[in-house]
Structure formats: C-alpha cells, structure tokens
Amino acid sequence: MIKTMLSVGLFLFVGLSYGQGTTKVLKTRDGSHYPVPSLTKEMQEYAVLNGSFITKEVIKDGKPIQYDGEISMETAKKVNPAAMGIAITERDQYYKITGTNNYLVVKSTWALDGEMKMARQ
C-alpha cells in the first residue's frame, strides 16, 4: 500500500514538473500555437553568416516600425549578431545605422529556424 502511494506520488510529481517546464517554453507568435524556437548551437553557427542584413527603412502595416536603437556602420557590417554584441531573441530587432538612411535587421530565432529548415529541403 505504501509503495503504491509513493509510486503514485512520484508519478504525479514528475508529471507536474514536466508539465510546468513545457508550459514555460510554449509561447505563441501572431496567434500561432507553435513553441518558440530556442537558440541552438547550430542556429548560432548559421547566424555567423546569416544573422542580420542591412536595408532601407522598415515599414510594417504601412507605418515605420519602432527601432531598438542605433548602431554604427562598422558594427552593422559584421553580420554576426554575437560579434555585434546583440543577443538573438524570439523577435526581429531593428537598429538605425548612425549617419545613414539604412537600418540593420537582426533576425529572430523564428526567422533563423525557418531559413535553416528551408535550406535543408
């Protein structure tokens, strides 16, 4: 009887612990029900050559977007967000390049994950 109760208690504890861990990871983007891709070592390696790009002003829904800050052209040319001192997050990040009409876009884990999946096909 005690073994049964201990076994049930252990399974409940493990089940609840696992459930709490997975709900923290699960987030949605734009109403979707997909887990946010986590930043993996493979993704970081891919980002060295494909983690960002320079563009003209970014417009979303017909309006200029809010920028996350400013960055120098010398730093923006590095492409690798880690080399720029910028952490890759679950959303794209936008920086005005000082002294120009250009902007740096640092790709999100969503964008990098999608590109990597397309490249594998």
Side-chain angles (χ1 to χ4, degrees):
M1 177 73 171
I2 291 177
K3 285 183 178 179
T4 304
M5 290 178 65
L6 287 174
S7 296
V8 169
L10 176 66
F11 285 117
L12 283 173
F13 175 76
V14 170
L16 289 174
S17 297
Y18 176 76
Q20 288 178 351
T22 57
T23 57
K24 289 179 186 174
V25 174
L26 290 177
K27 296 181 183 177
T28 60
R29 177 181 180 195
D30 301 332
S32 65
H33 298 287
Y34 299 102
V36 174
S38 58
L39 184 62
T40 63
K41 183 175 173 98
E42 180 183 51
M43 196 179 293
Q44 290 171 333
E45 291 170 357
Y46 180 81
V48 169
L49 298 175
N50 304 290
S52 69
F53 61 93
I54 296 173
T55 187
K56 297 291 179 192
E57 186 168 19
V58 179
I59 296 179
K60 192 173 188 178
D61 299 327
K63 297 181 255 180
I65 62 149
Q66 288 286 88
Y67 295 97
D68 295 296
E70 287 194 29
I71 196 164
S72 71
M73 179 59 88
E74 181 178 307
T75 303
K77 286 182 179 179
K78 293 180 181 177
V79 180
N80 179 7
M84 293 180 224
I86 299 172
I88 297 171
T89 64
E90 63 188 50
R91 68 172 189 80
D92 292 333
Q93 299 171 69
Y94 306 91
Y95 294 89
K96 169 100 170 86
I97 299 174
T98 309
T100 70
N101 290 330
N102 295 324
Y103 297 84
L104 172 74
V105 179
V106 176
K107 296 177 186 176
S108 65
T109 55
W110 289 99
L112 294 170
D113 186 57
E115 287 179 16
M116 291 169 56
K117 285 178 181 174
M118 291 299 290
R120 287 185 203 129
Q121 292 180 349

